[in-house]
């Protein structure tokens, strides 16, 4: 939605699991890895995966398919959700700033 960086956060006040992920990826692409990890832990690893995927797709001259059925995908989603819950507990229960300024 125009004007809202995250409609879920705007509607509920609770950041979604991917809130600030784009900012982290942008910081990674700019070489600011320390800030990227502070913004979202999964930004730099996803940046590397996106770059590798892009290079391989360009070499083969077709987009590579991403398997959503593999064991690694589900493990990644599990870690992603655990990290999100950790951030919510740190922010809302313990009052520690783990999210950038809303």
């Amino acid at each position: 939605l125009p004007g809202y960086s995250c409609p879920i956060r705007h509607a509920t006040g609770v950041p979604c699991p991917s809130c600030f992920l784009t900012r982290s990826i942008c910081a990674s692409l700019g070489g600011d890895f320390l800030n990227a990890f502070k913004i979202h832990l999964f930004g730099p690893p996803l940046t590397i995966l996106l770059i590798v995927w892009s290079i391989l797709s360009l070499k083969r001259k077709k987009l590579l398919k991403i398997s959503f059925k593999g064991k690694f995908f589900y493990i990644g989603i599990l870690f992603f959700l655990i990290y999100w819950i950790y951030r919510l507990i740190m922010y809302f229960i313990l009052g520690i700033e783990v999210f950038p300024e809303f």
Side-chain angles (χ1 to χ4, degrees), residues 77-96:
I77 293 294
L78 178 65
F79 281 123
F80 196 76
L81 292 175
I82 290 170
Y83 177 64
W84 177 57
I85 292 168
Y86 161 78
R87 290 176 86 185
L88 291 178
I89 291 170
M90 295 296 282
Y91 186 75
F92 289 108
I93 296 175
L94 301 177
I96 299 171

Side-chain angles (χ1 to χ4, degrees), residues 22-43:
T22 303
R23 293 180 195 183
S24 179
I25 290 173
C26 288
S28 296
L29 290 171
D32 188 4
F33 292 103
L34 183 61
N35 193 34
F37 276 116
K38 286 181 184 177
I39 295 170
H40 199 291
L41 184 66
F42 284 82

